[in-house]
Amino acid sequence: MLLQAAANEWKVPVSELVVAKGVITHKASNRSTTYGKVAGAAAKLEPPADVKLKDPKDWTIAGKPLKRLDTATR
C-alpha cells in the first residue's frame, strides 16, 4: 500500500518502484520518498485481498542476530 501511494502520487506503475532501507525510489525520474511521507495516503487505500509475503531468505533484519541498542553493554 505504501508503494501504491507513492506510485499514485508520481503517476507511475508500482512495478517501476524499488525499495531499499525504507526509501521508495523511482529510478527513471530520480524521485524518492520515505514510508513516513506516504503513510497517510496509504492509509486511505483499500487493503489488498491477497498479500504476497517476502520469502524469509530475502529478510535483512528479521531472524538475524543483531547487536541490541536498548541495553547497556560492557
Side-chain angles (χ1 to χ4, degrees):
M1 292 170 59
L2 295 165
L3 291 175
Q4 187 62 60
N8 292 350
E9 181 179 327
W10 297 332
K11 297 176 181 32
V12 299
V14 173
S15 61
E16 293 182 5
L17 302 179
V18 293
V19 178
K21 298 184 180 182
V23 177
I24 303 168
T25 304
H26 183 245
K27 291 186 178 185
S29 65
N30 203 30
R31 288 182 281 195
S32 63
T33 191
T34 62
Y35 289 153
K37 290 181 182 175
V38 295
K44 296 175 185 172
L45 298 174
E46 183 72 27
D50 184 30
V51 177
K52 181 181 175 195
L53 299 178
K54 191 176 197 178
D55 191 315
K57 71 176 177 59
D58 297 325
W59 292 353
T60 56
I61 297 175
K64 309 288 185 192
L66 295 174
K67 184 177 179 181
R68 292 194 54 164
L69 301 175
D70 61 339
T71 60
T73 57
R74 294 176 189 215

